[in-house]
Amino acid sequence: MARINTHYDKLAAGYLFPEIGRRTRAFLETHPGVEVMRLGIGNTTEPLTPEVIRGLHEGVDRLAHTDTYSGYGDDSLGEPELREAIAKRYADYGADLDPEEVCIGDGAKADSANIQSIFAVDNIVAVQDPAYPVYVDSNVIAGRTGPASDGQYEGLVYMPCTEENDFFPEVPAGHVDLIYLCSPNNPTGAVAAKAQLEAFVDYARTQRAVIVFDSAYAAFIQDPDLPRSIYEVDGAKECAIEINSFSKEAGFTGVRLGWTIVPKALTCEGSEPGRLHGLWSRRQNTMFNGASNIVQQGGLAALSETGRKECRRLVEYYMRNARVIREGLERIGITVYGGVNAPYIWMRTPGGMSSWDFFDKLLNQAHVVGTPGSGFGPSGEGYFRLSAFGHAQDIERAVASIRHNLTL
Ligand SMILES: Cc1ncc(COP(=O)(O)O)c(C=O)c1O
């Protein structure tokens, strides 16, 4: 008798983006002809750069000839050339990585959801609150939590990110086993200082815990003093996994390519160095066929000198949008965070409105769609996220509409 994984039933409460879609559609049905401006989703809008396009074409052309054709990779962990290029990039951050520690995947979403599967089901998990929902949902599905009540899952340790702590948490007061950190953070746009990451690395080493560090937005950091990788911290290779992606910095949201670093030095309770690296390799070789060979050529091109220059310009484009949103909101007296070293603006809802009430108000008055903060965790209530991913002229129109039509 087959039975379903009933842990999925616990998820129903937090269905953020479908609910945004439902409310937007309902608004459009009752307001035909009105143009809605979407600043809700972190989806890239600008074309791939010329160097990346060249790399992708090269990837296609290679498949057209017997002598350069390739089928399955030797393993599912990526082309050696690409793994090497990524390891080299970490050398710029002062981190010394063996290219074999870099495991190529099809993006940070899948890897950040799947990484929990190499850890025991009774591990205690801590997450930033608010956070990218995948960390929580993947652990709920795996059975590491009880049911949700008041927006919190039983058994999960929430690390509140609030105005009081500049949206980056203290280390947990008690013991936890797995810690998800995201810096620059989605949704708050906050970036951890090096000393804050050092505190987590110290904690993890003392507790024999493992940090899963999501740096998908590292390329958006403008301040040269802020860490772009957790491996800038001494000792992090013994306690941290890092996940990153080509999605946002190179516009690969549809192309799909990312990487996960599982250092060979990484250990945890009952696991000697090399074991966790081996488990992730095993997991990927069993469950994943490897990123497309064409796409990997595109990734390699993005990491070339020309590619990096072009991608920096892409990041600058979105960061200009972030400044337009931030300054536009500040000008009408809204308290805003983020948007300086990250492509997300995190705003306090005016007058203490609930996140969803503000969603409706912004849609009705300014015809702008954003993302209610409560969808990212209980501490997101009373906040709202606006995304800088969009065409500059659309962002400018949306901000102008907010400034002229939103009553505070
Ligand atoms: C924090 C964070 N991690 C990972 C992802 C997923 O990225 P990818 O497109 O590489 O799967 C996102 C996407 O929005 C994100 O915000």
Side-chain angles (χ1 to χ4, degrees):
M1 185 171 68
R3 286 175 299 127
I4 61 164
N5 175 357
T6 52
H7 298 308
Y8 276 89
D9 296 341
K10 300 174 195 162
L11 289 174
Y15 240 49
L16 178 61
F17 289 104
E19 179 60 14
I20 290 174
R22 194 190 66 72
R23 290 190 191 210
T24 308
R25 278 192 304 279
F27 173 81
L28 286 170
E29 269 162 32
T30 50
H31 300 79
V34 166
E35 192 211 349
V36 161
M37 293 163 274
R38 295 168 201 269
L39 269 59
I41 306 179
N43 201 0
T44 50
T45 54
E46 302 312 301
L48 296 173
T49 75
E51 178 62 12
V52 168
I53 291 292
R54 189 207 54 73
L56 290 169
H57 282 156
E58 187 185 324
V60 171
D61 290 342
R62 283 184 180 202
L63 297 179
H65 306 283
T66 315
D67 54 342
T68 48
Y69 173 84
S70 61
Y72 291 127
D74 289 341
D75 60 26
S76 300
L77 301 175
E79 302 284 346
E81 250 182 311
L82 180 60
R83 299 172 81 177
E84 235 161 71
I86 292 171
K88 256 197 205 127
R89 167 175 162 150
Y90 277 83
D92 296 347
Y93 306 148
D96 176 28
L97 291 180
D98 174 348
E100 282 184 9
E101 295 173 317
V102 180
C103 309
I104 307 299
D106 64 2
K109 184 186 197 172
D111 284 6
S112 63
N114 293 328
I115 196 72
Q116 49 74 30
S117 72
I118 63 171
F119 295 95
V121 77
D122 59 356
N123 274 356
I124 301 169
V125 175
V127 289
Q128 279 170 288
D129 169 27
Y132 178 55
V134 170
Y135 318 138
V136 171
D137 289 359
S138 56
N139 278 288
V140 171
I141 291 168
R144 284 194 190 85
T145 74
S149 66
D150 291 335
Q152 296 206 22
Y153 288 96
E154 252 173 47
L156 210 59
V157 174
Y158 289 84
M159 301 184 291
C161 300
T162 60
E163 283 171 25
E164 288 70 41
N165 60 18
D166 285 333
F167 300 99
F168 195 81
E170 301 293 320
V171 299
H175 171 77
V176 303
D177 303 301
L178 255 189
I179 304 162
Y180 288 83
L181 292 178
C182 177
S183 174
N185 184 268
N186 174 13
T188 65
V191 185
K194 192 164 177 195
Q196 290 173 311
L197 293 187
E198 280 167 351
F200 270 90
V201 166
D202 275 354
Y203 172 91
R205 293 181 69 185
T206 313
Q207 301 285 328
R208 314 261 305 138
V210 171
I211 298 167
V212 176
F213 188 75
D214 182 341
S215 57
Y217 299 97
F220 292 81
I221 296 176
Q222 310 291 306
D223 180 344
D225 292 332
L226 291 170
R228 279 135 176 91
S229 163
I230 195 157
Y231 302 122
E232 292 184 39
V233 173
D234 286 342
K237 284 210 293 189
E238 283 136 55
C239 66
I241 290 168
E242 181 161 314
I243 298 172
N244 202 329
S245 165
F246 288 87
S247 278
K248 307 297 164 97
E249 68 170 280
F252 276 42
T253 40
V255 178
R256 310 303 311 147
L257 191 67
W259 68 90
T260 290
I261 293 162
V262 186
K264 292 179 181 169
L266 181 70
T267 59
C268 67
E269 193 54 39
S271 164
E272 69 279 11
R275 185 91 202 278
L276 284 161
H277 175 82
L279 289 186
W280 180 246
S281 306
R282 185 73 172 87
R283 193 265 165 213
Q284 292 298 78
N285 278 316
T286 302
M287 312 258 193
F288 177 60
N289 247 333
S292 148
N293 44 13
I294 299 168
V295 167
Q296 291 191 64
Q297 286 304 311
L300 203 50
L303 293 175
S304 69
E305 207 182 315
T306 310
R308 287 173 81 157
K309 263 191 213 138
E310 291 175 351
C311 289
R312 261 199 299 280
R313 281 201 287 277
L314 209 50
V315 164
E316 281 163 14
Y317 179 92
Y318 292 123
M319 289 310 290
R320 258 195 311 278
N321 289 345
R323 196 176 64 232
V324 168
I325 299 171
R326 200 163 38 83
E327 291 177 355
L329 296 178
E330 272 171 348
R331 227 168 275 149
I332 55 169
I334 291 178
T335 307
V336 293
Y337 302 95
V340 178
N341 291 294
Y344 294 117
I345 286 83
W346 188 238
M347 57 173 280
R348 186 133 44 89
T349 57
M353 282 179 96
S354 83
S355 299
W356 277 111
D357 283 351
F358 184 69
F359 174 91
D360 291 333
K361 184 180 164 93
L362 190 69
L363 180 56
N364 277 283
Q365 292 188 344
H367 306 159
V368 171
V369 174
T371 312
S374 55
F376 298 98
S379 295
E381 183 54 280
Y383 288 90
F384 202 75
R385 189 194 78 173
L386 292 173
S387 161
F389 291 107
H391 300 310
Q393 64 272 27
D394 294 344
I395 300 277
E396 276 159 23
R397 270 189 311 124
V399 171
S401 176
I402 294 173
R403 287 183 60 194
H404 295 124
N405 301 314
L406 184 70
T407 59
L408 295 171

